[in-house]
Amino acid sequence: MHKKRLFLFVGMSVFTALILGPAPEGHPQDAAFAKANNHYKNGEFKEAIAAYESILGEDRASAALYFNLGNAYFRRHQLGRALLSYERARRLRPRDPEIQTNLRLARSNLPYVRPAGMKLFKRISRMPFQWINLDEGTLGVLCVYLALMALLCVMALRKTARRRLKVPAQALAVIFVLGLSLMYVKIMDLGREALVVRPRAEARFAPFEKATVHFELTEGMAVTVVDEKQGWLKVERPDGKTGWLPDDAVALM
Amino acid sequence: MHRLRHLRHVCLAVVFVVMAAAPALAQSQQLKATVDRDQLGAGDAAQLYLTFEGTQDIPAPSLSLPQGLTSRYVGPTSRMSVVNGQTTSSVTHRYLLIPQQAGSFRVGPFHFTIHGTTYTAPAITLEVVAAGTPVSAAAATEGGPPAGRLEDRIFVTLETKKNTLYLNEKALLTVKLYVNQVAIRDANFPVFENAGFTMERIGTPRQYQINKNDLLYNILEFNLLFFPTRTGDLTLGPARVQCTQLISRKNNNFPDEFFSSFFGAQETHGLELASNALPITVLPFPEEGRPVDFKGAVGQFTLNAQIAPGRVALGDPVTLTMKVTGDGNLKTVSTPVLAGMQGFKTYDAQRTETEREVAFEQVLVPRDADLTQIPAVGFTYFDPSTRRYKTARAGPFPLEVLASGSPGATKVVESKEAAAQPRAPEELGSDIIYIKEDPGRWQSPQARLYRHPVVAVFLAVPLLILLGLWSWSEHQYRLSTDTAYARRLRASPKAQKGYRQAAADMAAGRHQEFYAGVSRTLREFLADKCRASAPAITAASLDSLPGCDRLDENGIKTIKDLLTKSDDIRYASLAASPDEMKEDLALLRQALDRIEKIHA
């Protein structure tokens, strides 16, 4: 029994070490981050935004970086971009109360109206990711999978235990399939979820300026990008209505 | 005939044109100017009618009126009539004439040029008498002093007791609206347009009466506090008060004053009254004796402070409550200075301001168990009455700090009384939470765990292990339940083992053991392959063994020879040379290979 526990502990440690890599020490982006923070503290929000964005340009990001960037945009009254940054921060650290607070505040300052008619399955599929991020979801599904495999191995080795372990194994299998489905939906949405960053944007029936306006979107509204054509993005509202927007009117989450 | 018809058409056309032009020609375009009465009291109003005859397309002309008389346009009235084929039309524009003072006013003569036509009418004279004076007596007072001027009966004053102030010093300002025999309503709060002062309303407007210059005035008094925000010679005011004047319009069908007033109507007229302005001198704070911690507070203040709790565990918060009370500009009161707080972690103080005091709640966290007191706090202000800077002090406050985990450490519990008492909802400000100093774990924005190769390994390896275990388990199960399968599966390894043992016996020169091993290996291998009993297999029974028909004749012969020779040597105790044994070992090899192919 002790050997099994030891094996499990070593296995999880190896897995964590492989996933997380070495502990971050003296990262080159730390200095740039501190400099951007100084701009913010001095009330130089425009310079702070440029400094934070330059770190993102180096393909480095963290929840704190997105959070601080959101604050700087908020101070510049660019609420759509502030909301976008807070959303990105929340996706990395979904249970951070400070991120949640600022996100709520940014939302409350926007004339955001959630259009009715969002599909039930989509609503349900997004619910877990209000509390966990994609990596935690992956880890959770993986743990369920490993537990299921371990149970099946025991059942394979001990025929006498098969009947006793059948129900737990079935439950784990259902959880695994459900988790895998949610992960699949979430992964399919990656790179398609976007927020409106202009105060007001007109979605048109076709990708050119003179096309008829189908509907209007306000700053901070969430849309799904379904197509792209020469500087225009075809977006879908949660209620299923679609229209073409200039690509600078929305930003991908 | 044709010429006659042409002449008739021309005549008809002439008649039609003459008839169409007749009404216009019949009208004589002229202007009449009349008033409903030419004598009235101050505070009343007369109606002026400008009637343009012969046309209705006349817009309301603007009037030029003498000083002390104002007007308000009421509206037009159109009229058209046809009598004996003659059409007359007119439009009447009605104005309300409102005198601001008593006296004689000459309105007109009227001279308008509209659409290229000139309209003229003679002047009208209005006699305005003081309120309360019978209109019929107006003639008797003509030429007297301008008694009863509206600005004498309704006006606004601005008063303060201090014309010299220090910056931010509080002073009382009083705006009084004087009203005598003028009906007004909807008096608004005074409005100031001055820069350099901030105003603060206090209380509600007060109403009372006073006698001034033998006249009884109704007073509406507004009180404000004002604070100069810059130094120098400034002007405060004028204060502007907007109100609505009620003007009685008498019904001339009733000669009696009572009935005339009773059946008459009231009209409203907007009034904006401006007060006098006050010169104010604002002095800067004296440089002499100015403390370093002076932050601009002006007035006379006292400072009270207390801490709670007085006994805390190390790291637990202590609340220092400081209350600044007194007479002065509370807006200028800033947080009292905390000096010598090295042993404490401090947070920003929470400020609460009421009408008479400003309270500060300062949270302090002791970081040293050796602390015995919280040092004294001080609040510096400028007292304009003595023209000196003063510092109000409170403390020091004894404090007992217990090391964490000590038995006497205070446990914070809410008292039942506090829990039972309903508290007024606290109004909290809202703003975003401050930036994070720690960048946290850096990662690529595109990095996702599900894309990591380790995840694929962790998915694949357990699956492979499971498949392996499952196969092995099934194999073991079949081995334990399917004897034929188990014998068939074990036959070859067992035969190989027997072959190796025979080779070993040969090498050791143990010919008895060698042939016993050859015989056993052959019989057991055949028995496992052909699902028969090993002891029952002999050279004689070999032909009847099921499955042996798949062996060729040479194979059967080799097996029979080996079995016969083995029995002979074992049971007859014959000897065998090493060469013979070597040859028989090779034959055993061949025989085993042939038997192996039975179920191949």
Side-chain angles (χ1 to χ4, degrees):
Chain A
M1 194 65 187
H2 286 295
K3 278 184 182 175
K4 280 183 183 174
R5 281 183 187 171
L6 184 67
F7 178 74
L8 194 66
F9 174 74
V10 170
M12 291 309 291
S13 304
V14 169
F15 177 75
T16 310
L18 283 170
I19 296 298
L20 299 180
E25 281 182 12
H27 208 277
Q29 275 74 31
D30 287 354
F33 183 74
K35 190 178 170 187
N37 281 357
N38 284 336
H39 281 305
Y40 184 94
K41 288 171 192 170
N42 295 333
E44 299 158 356
F45 301 119
K46 192 177 175 184
E47 289 76 10
I49 288 169
Y52 290 130
E53 293 279 10
S54 73
I55 299 173
L56 288 173
E58 295 169 14
D59 198 34
R60 293 283 93 184
S62 73
L65 173 69
Y66 283 131
F67 178 81
N68 292 2
L69 179 61
N71 276 11
Y73 275 123
F74 189 93
R75 291 286 177 228
R76 296 265 302 163
H77 304 290
Q78 292 175 262
L79 295 180
R81 294 219 170 261
L83 188 67
L84 178 75
S85 299
Y86 291 142
E87 274 287 355
R88 286 172 173 170
R90 191 187 61 79
R91 283 168 186 235
L92 293 179
R93 288 206 339 224
R95 294 178 300 283
D96 188 318
E98 294 182 343
I99 294 172
Q100 287 174 350
T101 301
N102 285 9
L103 186 63
R104 264 199 306 273
L105 197 71
R107 273 201 191 123
S108 68
N109 278 277
L110 282 167
Y112 175 75
V113 179
R114 186 187 289 272
M118 187 191 244
K119 289 172 186 169
L120 181 67
F121 174 71
K122 209 159 194 174
R123 273 212 304 268
I124 292 172
S125 70
R126 286 184 179 182
M127 276 166 67
F129 295 100
Q130 300 294 319
W131 302 100
I132 58 170
N133 63 27
L134 194 57
D135 289 352
E136 289 167 343
T138 306
L139 208 58
V141 169
L142 205 56
C143 287
V144 172
Y145 172 76
L146 292 176
L148 178 64
M149 288 293 121
L151 215 57
L152 291 177
C153 285
V154 172
M155 288 169 73
L157 289 173
R158 294 186 180 178
K159 285 189 189 303
T160 52
R162 282 185 185 178
R163 184 174 288 177
R164 193 154 41 86
L165 296 177
K166 189 178 172 185
V167 172
Q170 284 174 339
L172 279 177
V174 168
I175 293 169
F176 172 67
V177 170
L178 197 65
L180 209 59
S181 307
L182 294 178
M183 288 287 297
Y184 176 77
V185 172
K186 182 69 183 170
I187 290 167
M188 288 297 106
D189 275 348
L190 282 180
R192 302 200 312 144
E193 290 175 296
L195 279 183
V196 179
V197 292
R198 276 191 193 167
R200 196 161 286 279
E202 291 174 332
R204 298 174 187 277
F205 278 96
F208 51 85
E209 279 295 339
K210 292 185 178 175
T212 309
V213 175
H214 189 191
F215 52 85
E216 277 197 351
L217 294 165
T218 56
E219 195 171 18
M221 280 182 77
V223 291
T224 306
V225 176
V226 293
D227 200 1
E228 185 180 0
K229 197 167 282 182
Q230 294 168 348
W232 290 77
L233 296 173
K234 189 178 186 182
V235 299
E236 183 181 286
R237 285 198 324 196
D239 60 357
K241 287 189 172 57
T242 59
W244 290 89
L245 286 175
D247 57 3
D248 60 346
V250 294
L252 289 168
M253 282 198 272
Chain B
M1 190 66 185
H2 180 73
R3 189 176 292 173
L4 273 175
R5 190 184 297 166
H6 181 71
L7 189 62
R8 193 170 69 185
H9 285 172
V10 170
C11 289
L12 282 172
V14 169
V15 168
F16 179 77
V17 169
V18 169
M19 283 183 71
L25 293 171
Q27 290 181 17
S28 57
Q29 295 184 347
Q30 55 179 332
L31 169 65
K32 284 182 187 171
T34 56
V35 286
D36 62 341
R37 51 195 166 132
D38 54 5
Q39 290 186 344
L40 67 159
D44 292 340
Q47 292 202 43
L48 169 68
Y49 302 95
L50 294 180
T51 304
F52 295 85
E53 299 285 355
T55 180
Q56 294 185 338
D57 184 20
I58 299 290
S62 58
L63 302 178
S64 60
L65 298 170
Q67 188 82 21
L69 192 66
T70 59
S71 70
R72 189 161 67 81
Y73 182 64
V74 177
T77 309
S78 299
R79 195 173 59 129
M80 177 177 274
S81 62
V82 180
V83 179
N84 296 330
Q86 283 201 339
T87 306
T88 57
S89 63
S90 67
V91 59
T92 302
H93 292 288
R94 194 154 62 94
Y95 298 80
L96 210 58
L97 298 178
I98 306 155
Q100 303 293 312
Q101 61 190 58
S104 178
F105 298 96
R106 183 182 167 82
V107 184
F110 301 95
H111 189 88
F112 307 116
T113 301
I114 301 167
H115 302 323
T117 307
T118 301
Y119 300 88
T120 57
I124 293 169
T125 303
L126 276 180
E127 296 294 339
V128 181
V129 298
T133 308
V135 172
S136 55
T141 60
E142 194 175 4
R149 291 191 311 158
L150 188 64
E151 54 261 42
D152 291 335
R153 289 165 41 219
I154 177 165
F155 55 91
V156 178
T157 63
L158 193 61
E159 300 166 13
T160 182
K161 290 178 180 173
K162 295 183 81 171
N163 289 84
T164 303
L165 297 166
Y166 280 95
L167 192 66
N168 288 333
E169 185 181 349
K170 182 179 84 172
L172 182 68
L173 184 69
T174 306
V175 181
K176 289 179 182 173
L177 172 63
Y178 287 76
V179 182
N180 169 250
Q181 295 190 357
V182 178
I184 64 157
R185 70 177 187 200
D186 302 336
N188 292 340
F189 205 87
V191 177
F192 297 83
E193 295 174 0
N194 304 89
F197 297 96
T198 55
M199 301 287 178
E200 193 177 294
R201 296 183 187 186
I202 51 169
T204 53
R206 202 158 63 94
Q207 273 187 298
Y208 55 93
Q209 289 186 327
I210 64 164
N211 197 321
K212 183 177 181 182
N213 299 334
D214 295 332
L215 288 174
L216 188 65
Y217 284 95
N218 286 310
I219 307 290
L220 185 60
E221 184 180 298
F222 304 92
N223 289 313
L224 301 98
L225 292 176
F226 74 101
F227 312 92
T229 55
R230 61 183 168 90
T231 57
D233 292 324
L234 308 178
T235 303
L236 176 59
R240 296 185 186 280
V241 177
Q242 287 187 332
C243 60
T244 305
Q245 182 186 3
L246 301 175
I247 299 164
S248 59
R249 185 155 53 88
K250 291 180 181 172
N251 193 327
N252 292 330
N253 294 329
F254 297 94
D256 186 88
E257 180 76 16
F258 173 79
F259 290 106
S260 173
S261 302
F262 187 80
F263 290 101
Q266 283 190 323
E267 300 214 10
T268 59
H269 173 58
L271 273 182
E272 185 178 272
L273 306 164
S275 75
N276 56 310
L278 294 173
I280 303 288
T281 303
V282 184
L283 303 173
F285 297 121
E287 289 297 328
E288 186 185 348
R290 184 172 185 168
V292 180
D293 59 352
F294 173 67
K295 292 176 184 171
V298 183
Q300 291 98 37
F301 299 107
T302 55
L303 173 64
N304 294 304
Q306 60 181 24
I307 63 164
R311 188 180 189 213
V312 289
L314 185 65
D316 281 358
V318 181
T319 304
L320 171 61
T321 306
M322 300 166 282
K323 289 182 180 175
V324 179
T325 53
D327 184 23
N329 187 350
L330 293 176
K331 300 280 183 205
T332 60
V333 173
S334 56
T335 314
V337 175
L338 309 175
M341 294 288 174
Q342 288 78 8
F344 295 91
K345 184 178 181 182
T346 59
Y347 294 87
D348 289 343
Q350 298 293 312
R351 187 182 196 276
T352 316
E353 185 181 326
T354 60
E355 196 176 337
R356 290 210 152 269
E357 73 172 26
V358 181
F360 298 92
E361 283 198 350
Q362 174 82 55
V363 176
L364 304 168
V365 179
R367 293 188 293 192
D368 188 351
D370 297 333
L371 292 168
T372 56
Q373 64 172 24
I374 293 174
V377 292
F379 171 68
T380 301
Y381 60 94
F382 179 72
D383 185 350
S385 61
T386 60
R387 301 184 177 189
R388 288 182 185 281
Y389 294 99
K390 293 182 177 175
T391 301
R393 294 188 189 282
F397 310 94
L399 179 71
E400 187 179 352
V401 181
L402 304 170
S404 297
S406 66
T410 306
K411 186 181 177 184
V412 179
V413 292
E414 191 176 11
S415 73
K416 288 179 182 176
E417 288 178 7
Q421 287 174 357
R423 291 179 182 172
E426 187 182 8
E427 286 187 13
L428 300 173
S430 68
D431 200 356
I432 53 172
I433 292 172
Y434 195 56
I435 55 171
K436 292 176 186 286
E437 298 286 352
D438 180 10
R441 193 169 73 87
W442 292 106
Q443 63 181 86
S444 167
Q446 309 302 325
R448 298 280 184 270
L449 180 61
Y450 73 87
R451 292 178 186 155
H452 204 287
V454 171
V455 174
V457 171
F458 268 76
L459 284 172
V461 168
L463 189 64
L464 293 174
I465 291 172
L466 175 68
L467 290 175
L469 282 176
W470 202 270
S471 303
W472 181 79
S473 172
E474 286 300 310
H475 172 72
Q476 293 297 319
Y477 178 72
R478 195 171 177 190
L479 284 179
S480 63
T481 54
D482 188 346
T483 314
Y485 172 79
R487 286 179 69 183
R488 194 168 60 243
L489 215 63
R490 287 174 189 150
S492 291
K494 206 161 73 177
Q496 296 304 324
K497 193 179 173 185
Y499 175 80
R500 286 195 297 274
Q501 183 62 44
D505 290 338
M506 182 192 76
R510 298 190 294 264
H511 63 275
Q512 285 287 337
E513 286 81 359
F514 171 76
Y515 284 103
V518 168
S519 174
R520 189 173 61 248
T521 301
L522 277 175
R523 277 187 280 113
E524 285 183 350
F525 196 33
L526 277 169
D528 287 341
K529 283 287 186 181
C530 301
R531 300 181 195 175
S533 171
I537 294 175
T538 58
S541 66
L542 196 60
D543 291 327
S544 60
L545 196 67
C548 265
D549 50 345
R550 294 187 191 174
L551 290 170
D552 56 12
E553 286 184 6
N554 285 338
I556 293 171
K557 186 175 179 299
T558 303
I559 296 167
K560 279 183 178 179
D561 288 347
L562 279 172
L563 288 175
T564 307
K565 192 174 181 180
S566 297
D567 290 344
D568 289 348
I569 289 174
R570 283 195 298 160
Y571 300 122
S573 300
L574 296 176
S577 66
D579 289 339
E580 260 184 302
M581 284 171 27
K582 195 173 183 182
E583 191 180 334
D584 288 340
L585 186 67
L587 287 174
L588 176 64
R589 177 78 268 167
Q590 288 176 13
L592 290 177
D593 289 344
R594 286 172 198 274
I595 296 166
E596 183 73 48
K597 289 174 184 171
I598 289 178
H599 285 285

